[in-house]
Amino acid sequence: MNKIIKKDQFSEKVFCLEVEAPLIAHSCKAGQFIILRVDKHSERVPYTIAKADDEKGTLTLVVQEVGLSSTKLCNLNEGDYVQDIVGPLGNASEIKKFGTVVCAGGGIGIAAILPILTALHDAGNRVISVLAGRTKNLIIMEDDVRKESDEVIIMTDDGSYGEKGVVTAGVEKVIQSEHVDRILAIGPPVMMKFTSLLAKKYNIPNYVSLNTIMVDGTGMCGACRLTIGGKTKFVCIDGPEFDGDLVNWDEMFKRMGTFKNVERKEMEHYEEHVYPTPQPGQDVK
């Protein structure tokens, strides 16, 4: 079992958890992920690694409540334990000196892109990070990103922080002001698609992380099967990063909705168990 050392709340449904996992913290690389089970009855869920502290033997995970498993995990507190963590899994990001790299992170994708931009910066690249969210409170881990970036641009849909606009506006602003050698985007699929299309417009190599459709994390379930460059790939074992120009985005969006009905029913069952409907005459506490 793995102990939760620290828990912070970033926004209404987004939490940051620091969990003991010394072997994984020692061996993981930027871009890899882990599989976590909250308890012995829980499903196996993949989570990207935001930070790994080899000295403390801990992993930092940013989790958004979107279904049963993530809700159960976010309901745990410091000192509680999760059943088990397996990893590191997936292929590490390609890290070398490219030149100027734009790293675009949207929502909790900012946490996933943090270790990659850190590694790219350590490799001698000029790193320009573009962080995006619907509103100010959805811009997470800004201080961590600033420490490892040469420049940071913040975009919010409502203009409550940084500049008003979507992530592609910030990325294009950089492209038009200086030479860019590579673009990496991690966030909601629609954000990654349009960032990739923008990069293609300017003939800039671009990569995206498709971790949002992973389920089993080992290639056994086939839920993350996707057409990349005309060939069938599994995101969890062949990725999670791919050349954005080669991704079949229409297929990606279809995959996103595969388990929505199942997740909704499981969440309803959980809520009925945890928050049962009061019977007539019963006090509600």
Side-chain angles (χ1 to χ4, degrees):
M1 300 183 76
N2 303 79
K3 186 178 181 179
I4 297 175
I5 304 300
K6 187 178 181 182
K7 177 183 180 182
D8 292 312
Q9 185 167 1
F10 285 162
S11 62
E12 182 183 1
K13 292 185 176 294
V14 179
F15 295 82
C16 181
L17 303 173
E18 186 176 358
V19 186
E20 282 185 339
L23 294 178
I24 302 174
H26 177 69
S27 60
C28 69
K29 296 179 180 179
Q32 293 185 299
F33 63 94
I34 54 95
I35 292 286
L36 182 148
R37 284 197 307 161
V38 179
D39 55 52
K40 61 183 180 180
H41 302 294
S42 295
E43 63 181 335
R44 304 167 70 254
V45 181
Y47 292 104
T48 53
I49 302 168
K51 295 181 185 179
D53 191 319
D54 191 15
E55 290 187 5
K56 293 171 63 179
T58 61
L59 303 175
T60 297
L61 313 174
V62 175
V63 183
Q64 182 175 15
E65 289 186 34
V66 292
L68 176 57
S69 295
S70 56
T71 297
K72 290 168 68 176
L73 179 56
C74 291
N75 283 341
L76 296 179
N77 296 304
E78 294 177 2
D80 290 338
Y81 289 81
V82 297
Q83 183 68 27
D84 48 51
I85 299 176
V86 176
L89 300 171
N91 296 300
S93 303
E94 183 183 12
I95 304 296
K96 64 181 183 180
K97 190 171 182 179
F98 299 104
T100 297
V101 183
V102 173
C103 294
I108 62 170
I110 296 171
I113 210 168
L114 174 61
I116 305 171
L117 69 86
T118 299
L120 288 168
H121 194 249
D122 290 344
N125 293 282
R126 170 170 163 75
V127 174
I128 301 174
S129 298
V130 181
L131 310 183
R134 292 192 309 275
T135 187
K136 180 179 180 179
N137 68 341
L138 296 179
I139 302 296
I140 64 173
M141 308 189 87
E142 179 186 346
D143 290 342
D144 293 303
V145 172
R146 288 191 181 278
K147 289 177 183 177
E148 304 296 340
S149 304
D150 294 282
E151 183 181 346
V152 176
I153 296 172
I154 295 177
M155 308 294 299
T156 50
D157 292 356
D158 61 3
S160 58
Y161 190 45
E163 301 178 36
K164 184 175 183 179
V166 294
V167 67
T168 48
V171 173
E172 189 161 29
K173 178 180 178 181
V174 177
I175 295 172
Q176 293 177 344
S177 64
E178 62 181 282
H179 175 77
V180 174
D181 297 284
R182 191 179 180 94
I183 293 175
L184 173 66
I186 304 181
V190 68
M191 166 262 189
M192 293 190 289
K193 174 185 176 179
F194 284 101
T195 302
S196 177
L197 290 175
L198 176 67
K200 186 176 182 179
K201 171 185 172 183
Y202 288 96
N203 296 312
I204 301 172
N206 67 94
Y207 291 82
V208 294
S209 180
L210 306 182
N211 54 61
T212 52
I213 63 169
M214 295 191 304
V215 177
D216 172 78
T218 63
M220 296 293 289
C221 70
C224 66
R225 185 175 67 253
L226 203 61
T227 303
I228 307 290
K231 298 180 180 180
T232 298
K233 301 287 185 179
F234 292 85
V235 172
C236 60
I237 57 176
D238 296 312
E241 285 179 35
F242 296 95
D243 183 334
D245 293 343
L246 302 181
V247 176
N248 184 326
W249 291 104
D250 290 339
E251 189 177 12
M252 171 72 176
F253 293 132
K254 289 178 181 178
R255 290 282 181 205
M256 291 292 294
T258 303
F259 297 102
K260 281 188 176 180
N261 289 334
V262 175
E263 290 174 349
R264 187 186 70 251
K265 291 179 180 179
E266 287 296 322
M267 194 63 197
E268 290 173 353
H269 177 74
Y270 173 73
E271 289 176 342
E272 288 174 359
H273 177 72
V274 178
Y275 309 108
T277 303
Q279 299 299 312
Q282 180 180 352
D283 291 334
V284 179
K285 297 182 180 180

